[in-house]
């Protein structure tokens, strides 16, 4: 009797280990898919923000890493897919930040030019030219 109880406990432990392993694989698939989707959205957002012109190296890196994430996902290497996706997202966000910064700098320059134009106009009206 002791032997069959031991075998039953061993079988239960084996089933538990297999179940935990399968659950681990299943839970890794969903986050990897979500990570790839998030990084794809970040790359698209950066491209829409004009990052390809301002930060072409970062955009190229983000696209290359996104491609690797998709390849890892296709081969069911979910950990690598998540890692590549996270790196792609970071590169895309950096590119988008550079694009936003460049746009803000351009807007600031335009405001400065407008202020100077107003000052010049005020100076002309305060001191009319006599002929």
């Amino acid at each position: 009797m002791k032997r069959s109880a031991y075998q039953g406990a061993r079988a239960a432990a084996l089933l538990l280990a297999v179940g935990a392993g399968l659950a681990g694989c299943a839970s890794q698939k969903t986050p990897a898919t979500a990570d790839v989707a998030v990084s794809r959205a970040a790359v698209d957002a950066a491209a829409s923000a004009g990052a390809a012109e301002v930060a072409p190296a970062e955009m190229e890196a983000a696209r290359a890493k996104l491609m690797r994430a998709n390849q890892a996902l296709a081969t069911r290497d979910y950990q690598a897919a998540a890692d590549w996706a996270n790196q792609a997202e970071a590169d895309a966000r950096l590119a988008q930040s550079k694009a936003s910064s460049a746009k803000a700098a351009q807007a600031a320059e335009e405001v400065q030019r407008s202020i100077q134009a107003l000052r010049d106009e005020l100076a002309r009206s305060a001191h009319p030219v006599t002929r």
Side-chain angles (χ1 to χ4, degrees):
M1 282 290 182
K2 287 185 180 182
R3 188 172 199 176
S4 76
Y6 174 73
Q7 287 175 338
R10 211 169 122 190
L14 180 62
L15 284 174
L16 183 62
V18 168
L22 289 174
C25 289
S27 68
Q28 263 189 327
K29 182 176 182 179
T30 302
T33 303
D35 288 340
V36 172
V38 168
S39 69
R40 182 177 298 115
V43 169
D44 290 345
S48 294
E53 294 81 29
V54 178
E58 289 83 356
M59 283 301 295
E60 181 59 35
R63 287 185 176 122
K65 290 173 184 175
L66 179 59
M67 183 179 72
R68 286 185 174 200
N70 282 317
Q71 289 169 343
L73 198 58
T75 61
R76 297 182 179 195
D77 186 352
Y78 302 124
Q79 185 60 51
D83 291 344
W84 284 116
N86 290 331
Q87 291 179 33
E89 180 184 0
D91 288 344
R93 295 209 185 278
L94 175 60
Q96 186 172 5
S97 293
K98 285 186 173 185
S100 297
S101 178
K103 286 180 182 180
Q106 184 179 12
E109 287 176 19
E110 289 176 17
V111 167
Q112 288 298 323
R113 283 193 296 271
S114 295
I115 290 172
Q116 188 58 47
L118 287 172
R119 284 183 179 154
D120 293 346
E121 184 65 31
L122 282 172
R124 280 194 300 273
S125 65
H127 304 290
V129 176
T130 54
R131 292 183 192 222

